Amino acid sequence: LKPTRGLVAFGPEQGSQYFGTTVDGVLTRSVRDAAAMLDVLVGPKDSSMAWSPSSACLCEDDVRVDCRPLRISVTTTPPLGLVEDECAEATRMVGGVLEQLGHQVEEDTPNWGIMMAVAGGPMSVPRPAGLVGPEMIGSVEPRNRGMIQSLANLTVVEHAAWVGQVQARSRKFLSFWDRYDVVVTPTAGIIAPPVTWAPWDQTPEEYGHVRVLPEFCPAV
């Protein structure tokens, strides 16, 4: 379950994650369980970050109501890397089922490039660099040490500028949802790989190659 931005609150101890650009959800065994969890999670929130008002009724009750026909986009085009045939086929199969259920299904892909242009920014600052001191850097996985060190050198002004860019591009990216209610994509681009796929002692370059190019180490 991935709730609408601003719908689920984690305050007052914890504020909005990544300045409102991400959300927290749950994994459940059924739609009914997901709806019940959403009823529990929705609470008081910062109105400036809320993108949708809370429902006047329980989500769990909505599960028992027939769904109106939805406008659904199905895409197997990833923001980067590749999507294996089995994952793509499973996604198209879901699209076919949704169409049989009476929904309007089209093959269409959001403009991933809008968000990818800022995806490599310092989204984790200041947490990792603030929690891991120079004397502790040896305890961090080698593939993440460079990120921690670069974030520690980032200025507040540089980070604030990046946050503004992300929020502006996010608003532009979400215009895709003016045409669709739901976007169906593969959950992951590759079949579950073996535990040896990305060892902890990889360099950032090795890890980036494996993460972006699944054929680098085929799944088994």
Side-chain angles (χ1 to χ4, degrees), residues 126-133 136:
R127 289 184 178 178
L131 295 174
V132 180
M136 300 171 59

Side-chain angles (χ1 to χ4, degrees), residues 155-202:
T155 68
V156 173
V157 174
E158 289 171 334
H159 183 247
W162 176 82
V163 171
Q165 293 171 12
V166 169
Q167 292 175 338
R169 285 182 170 269
S170 179
R171 288 189 290 270
K172 184 176 181 181
F173 178 71
L174 289 173
S175 63
F176 187 79
W177 276 259
D178 292 339
R179 304 197 303 274
Y180 299 104
D181 301 302
V182 177
V183 177
V184 177
T185 71
T187 302
I190 63 174
I191 303 168
V195 294
T196 56
W197 181 60
W200 72 272
D201 57 350
Q202 283 180 315

Side-chain angles (χ1 to χ4, degrees), residues 8-193:
V8 172
F10 287 87
E13 291 81 9
Q14 181 176 338
S16 175
Q17 294 294 310
Y18 297 140
F19 305 91
T21 59
T22 64
V23 297
D24 291 297
V26 293
L27 292 174
T28 64
R29 294 183 180 275
S30 69
V31 173
R32 183 170 58 184
D33 287 351
M37 282 301 302
L38 187 57
D39 287 328
V40 174
L41 292 172
V42 172
K45 52 189 177 292
D46 180 354
S47 59
S48 66
M49 297 303 298
W51 290 45
S52 290
S54 301
S55 175
C57 58
L58 293 175
C59 295
E60 191 173 6
D61 293 337
D62 287 340
V63 174
R64 301 182 177 89
V65 179
D66 289 339
C67 179
R68 64 175 174 81
L70 298 174
R71 301 165 301 168
I72 299 176
S73 162
V74 174
T75 179
T76 58
T77 301
L80 48 80
L82 303 173
V83 172
E84 293 184 347
D85 291 342
E86 186 170 340
C87 299
E89 182 57 32
T91 304
R92 296 190 187 98
M93 181 180 68
V94 170
V97 171
L98 292 171
E99 192 168 28
Q100 291 175 6
L101 292 173
H103 300 292
Q104 178 185 335
V105 179
E106 301 178 20
E107 287 195 14
D108 200 357
T109 302
N111 184 351
W112 303 122
I114 293 175
M115 293 308 300
M116 292 306 295
V118 291
M123 66 171 60
S124 296
V125 130
R127 289 184 178 178
L131 295 174
V132 180
E135 74 283 356
M136 300 171 59
I137 197 69
S139 300
V140 179
E141 293 177 337
R143 64 189 181 197
N144 289 326
R145 291 173 189 169
M147 177 190 70
I148 299 292
Q149 292 166 334
S150 63
L151 293 180
N153 295 324
L154 195 74
T155 68
V156 173
V157 174
E158 289 171 334
H159 183 247
W162 176 82
V163 171
Q165 293 171 12
V166 169
Q167 292 175 338
R169 285 182 170 269
S170 179
R171 288 189 290 270
K172 184 176 181 181
F173 178 71
L174 289 173
S175 63
F176 187 79
W177 276 259
D178 292 339
R179 304 197 303 274
Y180 299 104
D181 301 302
V182 177
V183 177
V184 177
T185 71
T187 302
I190 63 174
I191 303 168

